[in-house]
């Protein structure tokens, strides 16, 4: 069994103080994909770099206190790929791929467009660049899981207040159509939705209006996987017993070994 976790930490140092690494030590994950490090290499403690039997690999943003992704693993990777090879994307530390035999584990932090029209355009530009990359990854014939914060709620079931968000970043028609294309024409699979067609599966909650307590959430954290790996997906869960971030960890167990 392979246990793979995706968690947007909204700051690795903040999540550490809230007990994230204590929790990590208890769950026996093989891979833990983290996003929004908001830190550089010099900011990480030894435990943040290599927590309890795991080794961390990171792709930092150039800007301090911003973005950044990482993958913790119990296994030695054959290859580590930092970034997409596109300067303006890679400067923000948004993509990290580790290869293990025929399996690739990716941590992704897709841009948010909620802060400004300019950032929404950056998000659209990212989607334009990313789709051909996703097509080539799919065509390579590897078993791949892309874990992360995609900053898109795909369908109405994926956010509580969908009617009030039809014109907001994260639920725009163009974003949703892009995700439909990815899961349809290109042939990737959304692990949570395939396993649980009727369960909302929220992973993020606004800090306003008691959204977390009332479970007025969005599902924007995903395991997007190739079909062969999807066939091995056994179960998934969202961990809400403790709150390490404004996101909750998404855990998926796959019936396979390395």
């Amino acid at each position: 069994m392979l246990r793979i976790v995706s968690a947007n930490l909204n700051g690795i140092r903040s999540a550490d103080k809230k007990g994230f690494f204590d929790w990590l030590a208890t769950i026996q994950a093989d891979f833990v994909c983290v996003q929004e490090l908001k830190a550089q290499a010099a900011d990480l403690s030894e435990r943040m770099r290599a927590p309890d039997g795991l080794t961390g690999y990171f792709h930092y943003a150039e800007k301090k206190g911003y973005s950044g992704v990482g993958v913790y693993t119990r296994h030695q990777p054959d290859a580590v790929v930092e970034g997409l090879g596109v300067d303006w994307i890679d400067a923000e530390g948004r993509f990290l791929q580790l290869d293990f035999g025929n399996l690739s584990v990716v941590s992704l932090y897709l841009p948010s467009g909620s802060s400004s029209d300019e950032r929404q355009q950056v998000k659209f530009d990212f989607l334009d660049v990313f789709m051909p990359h996703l097509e080539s990854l799919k065509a390579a014939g590897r078993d791949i899981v892309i874990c992360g914060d995609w900053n898109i709620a795909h369908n109405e079931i994926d956010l509580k207040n969908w009617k009030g968000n039809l014109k907001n970043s994260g639920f725009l028609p163009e974003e949703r159509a892009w995700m439909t294309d990815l899961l349809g024409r290109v042939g990737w699979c959304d692990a949570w939705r395939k396993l649980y067609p009727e369960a909302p599966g929220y992973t993020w909650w606004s800090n306003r209006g008691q959204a977390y307590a009332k479970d007025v959430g969005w599902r924007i954290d995903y395991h997007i996987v190739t079909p062969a790996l999807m066939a091995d997906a056994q179960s998934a869960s969202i961990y809400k017993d403790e709150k390490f971030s404004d996101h909750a960890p998404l855990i998926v167990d796959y019936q396979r070994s390395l």
Side-chain angles (χ1 to χ4, degrees), residues 219-230:
R219 188 174 75 96
I220 55 176
D221 301 88
Y222 295 80
H223 283 219
I224 300 294
V225 303
T226 48
L229 191 57
M230 184 67 231

Side-chain angles (χ1 to χ4, degrees), residues 112-155:
S112 168
S114 59
S115 62
S116 67
D117 290 344
E118 180 186 11
R119 288 305 296 178
Q120 183 62 46
Q121 189 55 54
V122 168
K123 185 177 185 179
F124 284 140
D125 291 345
F126 184 103
L127 294 178
D128 288 345
V129 170
F130 197 34
M131 183 60 84
H133 188 77
L134 289 164
E135 289 170 343
S136 63
L137 281 177
K138 173 73 167 45
R142 298 178 60 77
D143 295 332
I144 308 171
V145 54
I146 305 176
C147 295
D149 178 359
W150 291 67
N151 267 313
I152 299 170
H154 184 206
N155 289 315

Side-chain angles (χ1 to χ4, degrees), residues 1 4 9 24-25 27 47 55 61 64 82 94 98 102 110 120 150 159 163 190 199 209 211 234 245 248 256:
M1 186 77 78
I4 306 178
L9 301 180
L24 211 56
I27 64 164
R47 193 182 193 195
T55 301
K64 288 194 171 184
E82 280 189 33
R94 296 191 175 277
L98 272 58
N102 196 49
L110 205 144
Q120 183 62 46
W150 291 67
L159 71 168
K163 287 182 181 176
D190 172 354
Q234 297 294 297
S245 163
R256 68 160 56 194

Side-chain angles (χ1 to χ4, degrees), residues 138-214:
K138 173 73 167 45
R142 298 178 60 77
D143 295 332
I144 308 171
V145 54
I146 305 176
C147 295
D149 178 359
W150 291 67
N151 267 313
I152 299 170
H154 184 206
N155 289 315
E156 293 168 7
I157 190 177
D158 298 315
L159 71 168
K160 183 76 168 183
N161 181 22
W162 66 267
K163 287 182 181 176
N165 283 288
L166 289 167
K167 295 182 179 180
N168 290 339
S169 181
F171 200 57
L172 294 174
E174 302 95 320
E175 298 169 337
R176 298 172 61 199
W178 185 92
M179 186 69 81
T180 296
D181 191 40
L182 179 70
L183 300 175
R185 176 185 63 85
V186 186
W188 289 82
C189 302
D190 172 354
W192 177 274
R193 189 53 68 225
K194 287 273 192 183
L195 286 168
Y196 309 119
E198 306 298 326
Y202 307 142
T203 60
W204 176 82
W205 299 263
S206 166
N207 289 319
R208 289 174 285 187
Q210 291 189 295
Y212 190 79
K214 295 177 180 177

Side-chain angles (χ1 to χ4, degrees), residues 59 79-85 95-99 105-107 133:
H59 183 208
V80 178
V81 181
E82 280 189 33
L84 294 172
F95 181 94
L96 181 66
Q97 175 179 327
L98 272 58
D99 294 341
V105 178
V106 176
S107 186
H133 188 77

Side-chain angles (χ1 to χ4, degrees), residues 35-40 58-70 82-84 86-96 107-113 115 118-119 121-123 125-126 151:
Q35 303 87 38
E36 212 171 348
L37 300 172
K38 294 186 174 179
Q40 323 302 123
F58 305 97
H59 183 208
Y60 305 102
E62 292 177 5
K63 181 179 173 182
K64 288 194 171 184
Y66 182 74
S67 191
V69 294
E82 280 189 33
L84 294 172
V86 180
D87 290 347
W88 62 269
I89 291 175
D90 296 345
E92 295 191 348
R94 296 191 175 277
F95 181 94
L96 181 66
S107 186
L108 171 74
Y109 181 36
L110 205 144
S112 168
S115 62
E118 180 186 11
R119 288 305 296 178
Q121 189 55 54
V122 168
K123 185 177 185 179
D125 291 345
F126 184 103
N151 267 313

